[in-house]
Amino acid sequence: MPKRTRTGALAALAVATLAAGLTAAPAGAATKAPAPKFLSASQLPPHPSSDWTADKVTDGVPEEMQHCFGDALLAYDARHRTFRTDLETNAQQLNVVVGDSAKAKALATRLDKEVKRCVARTDAAPDIEADYKSYGSLPVEEGARVHGFATRASWGAMDIHLVSVGRDGGTVTVVRWGQMGDFTDAPVKAFKKTTTTAVTKLY
């Protein structure tokens, strides 16, 4: 091949290689992780007389969690799903993608503490008494912890709540369940199963 022709062919090959490098992803490049999945209605603690229904997944922190966790979640993008029955029972799941395992651990630790602080703040309010109970931790993925608290108002209203905080990698999930009643009405075993499912479904 004449020298001039060979030089032109090499130049064309170099341009083609450069163009391919600009459009093709390098080997081993990181791909975007899939969004964490949410619980389905059938995975909530069974209600004795009503089926659960699930709303669509929505951006932000649900109103039911704002009082306890609003300040702790200001710096994060969160998504949630609300569940309800035909009666007074309702639930929410909140997923927060932190993106870093160490940061997720720190957030989960803070949220666990915020549950206790929330109960203390509620108990300090006029005309309301609140009691806290720990239901321990769960050996799922990178851990989860289950809390319970009951409130009694001076006008007679009584409510029971179960809250869990769990994490897998760089994602934290919070599940809250509530209805009228006291600690004896809390489906703790079923809620622990729901929490385990919620954490397992994150990835």
Side-chain angles (χ1 to χ4, degrees):
M1 179 183 295
K3 182 177 181 180
R4 180 176 298 175
T5 304
R6 184 168 62 243
T7 302
L10 291 174
L13 178 62
V15 171
T17 302
L18 178 61
L22 290 174
T23 57
T31 56
K32 185 177 181 181
K37 297 179 181 178
F38 283 79
L39 292 164
S40 63
S42 63
Q43 293 167 327
L44 273 290
H47 191 281
S49 59
S50 176
D51 291 333
W52 286 94
T53 58
D55 291 350
K56 292 181 179 180
V57 175
T58 306
D59 291 338
V61 180
E63 183 179 350
E64 293 83 355
M65 293 187 185
Q66 288 282 355
H67 176 64
C68 288
F69 303 121
D71 291 343
L73 296 169
L74 285 176
Y76 301 98
D77 291 327
R79 307 192 79 203
H80 72 274
R81 168 174 276 177
T82 294
F83 307 85
R84 57 179 54 85
T85 67
D86 292 336
L87 301 176
E88 295 298 325
T89 310
N90 63 87
Q92 295 79 34
Q93 182 186 9
L94 175 80
N95 285 341
V96 185
V97 179
V98 182
D100 178 295
S101 183
K103 292 179 181 178
K105 181 179 180 180
L107 176 61
T109 299
R110 179 177 178 183
L111 294 177
D112 280 323
K113 292 179 179 178
E114 290 295 339
V115 177
K116 297 179 181 180
R117 293 189 185 114
C118 184
V119 177
R121 290 197 304 270
T122 302
D123 190 52
D127 301 322
I128 298 180
E129 295 181 11
D131 294 313
Y132 169 84
K133 184 178 289 188
S134 172
Y135 290 108
S137 59
L138 300 174
V140 54
E141 299 301 341
E142 293 182 80
R145 184 166 292 278
V146 180
H147 312 265
F149 65 95
T151 58
R152 296 176 301 281
S154 60
W155 56 90
M158 298 174 61
D159 294 287
I160 177 65
H161 306 269
L162 295 175
V163 180
S164 61
V165 180
R167 68 185 184 91
D168 182 11
T171 301
V172 175
T173 189
V174 181
V175 183
R176 191 205 73 86
W177 171 97
Q179 71 171 31
M180 295 174 62
D182 57 25
F183 283 116
T184 63
D185 300 301
V188 177
K189 184 177 180 179
F191 185 76
K192 287 184 175 182
K193 182 178 179 180
T194 293
T195 296
T196 298
T197 301
V199 177
T200 302
K201 291 185 71 170
L202 291 178
Y203 289 110

